[in-house]
Amino acid sequence: NAGVTQTPKFQVLKTGQSMTLQCAQDMNHEYMSWYRQDPGMGLRLIHYSVGAGITDQGEVPNGYNVSRSTTEDFPLRLLSAAPSQTSVYFCASSWDGYEQYFGPGTRLTVT
Amino acid sequence: EDQVTQSPEALRLQEGESSSLNCSYTVSGLRGLFWYRQDPGKGPEFLFTLYSAGEEKEKERLKATLTKKESFLHITAPKPEDSATYLCAVQAKSGGSYIPTFGRGTSLIVHP
């Protein structure tokens, strides 16, 4: 089992560029979510999904889109990158919405 | 608004020196309180879920307890490998929301 995988590990974008952060899990978990982690702010939920075809907004959804076409994959799209989106992004999955398994993270810098 | 406050922000211990980390919370109906461990440059790793006041869970040198207002993570005779940031999170029952609220974490350093 690979668990939760995220690509890329590092990314530098220029303001206005778009990109997709990839997340995949091989545990057949229904729940998947995206967080951002900023110094002094803790983890904040961006979007989450409770199953294929179902997504909902978290605490800080603006500037991000998600879709869930399969149980395994949950990509996060940055529509037009801004310096305020510089952060470390974590994807997580869960069987029941309680115990979450986190990926290794993507460190994104927007210049 | 759900709130989670962790204290202290940072804690330095000598190997073998037991201590406790605190997580105080305000939530309208607790669905679950979670503890995670995070090593530098890595994603959080799940430790415990607590569901109701009075509940306790243990794993090796760690013991988590829960009251109606706070949770403690007790570390008994810590070793240098226990050094990490410990995160607390709560999930509310209201409206069927799945949104957890994380605290800012306690950075623990255990010196040999």
Side-chain angles (χ1 to χ4, degrees):
Chain A
N1 270 359
V4 179
T5 58
Q6 292 184 236
T7 56
K9 291 187 177 180
F10 301 94
Q11 183 70 50
V12 179
L13 290 178
K14 293 184 178 179
T15 298
Q17 288 184 318
S18 63
M19 79 159 295
T20 299
L21 307 184
Q22 301 292 343
C23 174
Q25 52 92 8
D26 61 359
M27 297 172 282
N28 203 32
H29 286 168
E30 292 293 332
Y31 290 80
M32 295 188 75
S33 52
W34 276 102
Y35 294 85
R36 60 178 290 172
Q37 188 173 41
D38 303 292
M41 294 294 293
L43 283 160
R44 291 182 293 170
L45 184 65
I46 303 171
H47 286 285
Y48 66 97
S49 169
V50 298
I54 306 170
T55 64
D56 206 346
Q57 296 182 352
E59 181 186 355
V60 288
N62 292 341
Y64 308 94
N65 272 359
V66 292
S67 60
R68 184 100 178 267
S69 56
T70 68
T71 298
E72 294 79 18
D73 300 299
F74 191 42
L76 177 73
R77 282 181 286 277
L78 280 70
L79 308 174
S80 177
S84 61
Q85 293 178 305
T86 293
S87 187
V88 181
Y89 291 84
F90 290 102
C91 178
S93 73
S94 171
W95 174 250
D96 56 4
Y98 287 98
E99 175 179 341
Q100 296 194 79
Y101 292 82
F102 283 81
T106 294
R107 187 173 296 272
L108 175 68
T109 301
V110 183
T111 60
Chain B
E1 180 181 333
D2 301 340
Q3 290 189 338
V4 178
T5 303
Q6 292 189 245
S7 61
E9 288 187 15
L11 182 62
R12 294 178 179 268
L13 299 174
Q14 288 297 125
E15 184 172 3
E17 180 187 2
S18 301
S19 188
S20 297
L21 313 182
N22 177 263
C23 172
S24 63
Y25 64 92
T26 55
V27 65
S28 54
L30 182 69
R31 182 170 179 255
L33 183 141
F34 313 94
W35 282 99
Y36 289 85
R37 169 192 171 124
Q38 186 173 24
D39 293 301
K42 296 191 176 181
E45 176 186 350
F46 173 81
L47 292 173
F48 305 109
T49 303
L50 302 167
Y51 297 99
S52 58
E55 191 174 0
E56 300 182 350
K57 289 194 176 172
E58 289 188 64
K59 180 180 180 180
E60 296 179 356
R61 294 176 292 282
L62 301 177
K63 179 181 178 180
T65 62
L66 181 65
T67 73
K68 289 187 178 180
K69 294 184 178 180
E70 58 191 350
S71 176
F72 291 94
L73 184 65
H74 307 278
I75 304 176
T76 302
K79 298 182 178 182
E81 52 261 43
D82 294 322
S83 298
T85 296
Y86 290 85
L87 302 172
C88 171
V90 298
Q91 213 172 83
K93 288 181 181 176
S94 57
S97 169
Y98 174 58
I99 300 176
T101 301
F102 277 83
R104 297 182 181 184
T106 293
S107 174
L108 173 66
I109 297 176
V110 182
H111 296 285

